[in-house]
């Protein structure tokens, strides 16, 4: 009965907080509020709850469907046209983020693999899932990643106000507004992703398999994967709970001590994205808004919303974001382990 009451209180607090953050336009509100509520419950209220593993795997698969939604034929047409530009920009951003992560690890701001994953410019939720799957502390990675997500979204919104070609209000679609075809398709792809991940025994296998299946359907023109909010919101909540319930007082104290340096590192990465955007404007004749959104380091979901509602070139923005994300997914685990070992060997 105590667990039942604890879950009920956690659910009510999470929903109330998510609605509040969503109303003010904060990105990933339905992940951040449940994560914060779970942290308060675990650290300050002494509640001991554990997230069922099957729910977490199902949530990962739904996030994979969300990522697959962005991988469209239009993106690949843009890639074929501008591939040297994408390759150079993406490589430069990953190198700079890896350098920042290495320095954070070498200076012992946060543990080695946490520093690398937390500095990686990819899809925020996917990065937390991948980091956890490869043995990093997902709690500290989440602090780093979502701090940067908030900063990216705030700056991107300001740039959109300054350079947007036309103002379209950001509307919040009701979770009950469901496409009758999208719901069963998303469930089927997520289910296949869960099964594929279980068979292949891959880290974050449900996410990767669902993403691959959904992207293949999109690119082949068989079906357009479009996960409804009715499924995505619970998935964000589950992931937020799993991260938050694993926090301890020691983790929060370590995060608080490192916060100024983490904010500085995030600011440097955002500044580098701004430099890259300036180069795109100067030498590739890309408009400032499209260039900045395309080079923003992380927060792919928030960037997609801002791009689609402010007159930016959405295929260009999402092509660069997806290319960087895929490169990070492929190279991230090896890069994190190598740089963490190097940072430990070269420590102060």
């Amino acid at each position: 009965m105590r667990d039942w009451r604890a879950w009920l209180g956690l659910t009510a607090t999470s929903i109330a907080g998510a609605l509040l953050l969503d109303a003010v336009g904060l990105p990933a509100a339905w992940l951040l509020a449940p994560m914060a509520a779970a942290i308060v419950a675990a650290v300050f209220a002494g509640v001991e709850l554990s997230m069922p593993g099957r729910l977490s795997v199902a949530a990962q698969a739904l996030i994979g469907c969300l990522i697959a939604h962005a991988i469209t034929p239009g993106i690949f047409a843009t890639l074929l046209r501008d591939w040297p530009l994408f390759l150079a920009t993406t490589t430069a951003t990953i190198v700079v983020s890896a350098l920042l992560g290495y320095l954070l690890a070498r200076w012992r701001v946060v543990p080695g693999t946490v520093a690398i994953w937390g500095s990686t410019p990819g899809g925020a939720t996917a990065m937390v899932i991948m980091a956890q799957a490869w043995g990093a502390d997902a709690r500290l990675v989440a602090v780093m990643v979502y701090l940067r997500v908030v900063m990216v979204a705030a700056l991107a919104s300001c740039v959109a106000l300054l350079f947007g070609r036309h103002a379209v209000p950001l509307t919040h679609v009701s979770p009950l507004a469901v496409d009758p075809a999208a719901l069963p398709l998303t469930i089927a792809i997520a289910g296949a992703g869960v099964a594929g991940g279980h068979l292949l025994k891959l880290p974050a296998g449900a996410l990767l398999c669902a993403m691959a299946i959904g992207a293949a359907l999109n690119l082949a023109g068989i079906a357009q994967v479009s996960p409804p909010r009715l499924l995505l919101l619970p998935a964000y909540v589950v992931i937020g709970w799993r991260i938050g319930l694993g926090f301890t007082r020691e983790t929060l104290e370590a995060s608080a001590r490192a916060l100024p340096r983490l904010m500085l590192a995030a600011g440097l990465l955002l500044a580098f994205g701004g430099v890259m955007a300036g180069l795109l404007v100067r030498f590739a004749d890309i408009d400032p808004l499209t260039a900045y959104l395309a080079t923003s380091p992380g927060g792919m979901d928030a960037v997609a919303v801002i791009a689609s509602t402010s007159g930016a070139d959405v295929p260009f923005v999402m092509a660069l974001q997806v290319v960087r994300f895929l490169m990070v997914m492929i190279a991230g685990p090896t890069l994190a382990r190598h740089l963490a070992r190097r940072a430990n060997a070269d420590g102060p």
Side-chain angles (χ1 to χ4, degrees):
M1 179 60 69
R2 185 173 64 251
D3 285 351
W4 178 84
R5 289 177 178 175
W7 279 116
L8 182 61
L10 181 60
T11 300
T13 305
S14 299
I15 292 175
L19 290 173
L20 177 62
L21 295 183
D22 202 34
V24 300
L26 193 69
W30 287 87
L31 188 146
L32 295 175
M35 184 173 71
I39 291 171
V40 171
V43 175
F44 301 105
V47 174
E48 295 183 3
L49 296 173
S50 59
M51 180 61 55
R54 292 182 180 178
L55 278 179
S56 298
V57 171
Q60 290 182 21
L62 289 170
I63 299 303
C65 293
L66 176 64
I67 297 168
H69 175 70
I71 305 176
T72 64
I75 284 179
F76 274 80
T78 303
L79 284 176
L80 291 175
R81 186 184 70 233
D82 298 320
W83 70 265
L85 188 64
F86 287 127
L87 182 61
T89 304
T90 300
T91 302
T93 304
I94 291 176
V95 167
V96 170
S97 67
L99 177 61
L100 284 173
Y102 166 78
L103 292 175
L104 290 175
R106 183 177 178 180
W107 295 336
R108 303 293 191 266
V109 176
V110 287
T113 53
V114 170
I116 309 302
W117 281 111
S119 302
T120 300
T125 306
M127 287 304 101
V128 174
I129 293 171
M130 288 288 290
Q132 185 175 38
W134 285 94
D137 189 333
R139 300 162 298 184
L140 286 175
V141 173
V143 170
M144 294 182 65
V145 167
Y146 288 105
L147 173 65
R148 192 173 69 244
V149 166
V150 172
M151 294 173 69
V152 164
L155 282 176
S157 299
C158 293
V159 173
L161 289 175
L162 292 173
F163 297 103
R165 288 192 291 272
H166 59 276
V168 180
L170 297 178
T171 57
H172 299 289
V173 180
S174 168
L176 300 179
V178 178
D179 183 346
L183 184 61
L185 178 63
T186 301
I187 292 174
I189 294 173
V194 170
H198 179 72
L199 290 174
L200 296 176
K201 307 295 183 183
L202 291 171
L207 184 149
L208 295 174
C209 289
M211 182 184 72
I213 295 168
L217 292 176
N218 276 356
L219 296 175
I222 297 173
Q224 175 68 41
V225 181
S226 183
R229 293 191 81 202
L230 182 66
L231 294 179
L232 288 177
L233 297 188
Y236 277 118
V237 170
V238 168
I239 292 172
W241 281 347
R242 176 158 186 171
I243 296 168
L245 290 173
F247 268 83
T248 63
R249 281 191 173 90
E250 291 76 15
T251 303
L252 286 182
E253 289 172 359
S255 301
R257 288 194 299 269
L259 189 59
R261 284 171 286 181
L262 295 181
M263 291 185 68
L264 176 60
L268 290 174
L269 194 55
L270 264 66
F272 179 77
V275 171
M276 296 302 296
L279 293 176
L280 290 178
V281 173
R282 176 66 177 83
F283 296 106
D285 197 28
I286 305 297
D287 69 90
L289 176 60
T290 296
Y292 183 78
L293 292 177
T295 56
S296 292
M300 187 163 60
D301 299 345
V303 167
V305 172
I306 295 169
S308 62
T309 56
S310 59
D313 184 345
V314 177
F316 186 92
V317 171
M318 295 312 299
L320 191 49
Q321 291 279 340
V322 169
V323 165
R324 188 176 63 216
F325 173 78
L326 293 177
M327 288 180 66
V328 166
M329 294 281 276
I330 294 169
T334 301
L335 190 63
R337 289 196 300 269
H338 174 73
L339 290 177
R341 285 197 299 267
R342 183 66 182 269
N344 288 334
D346 298 342

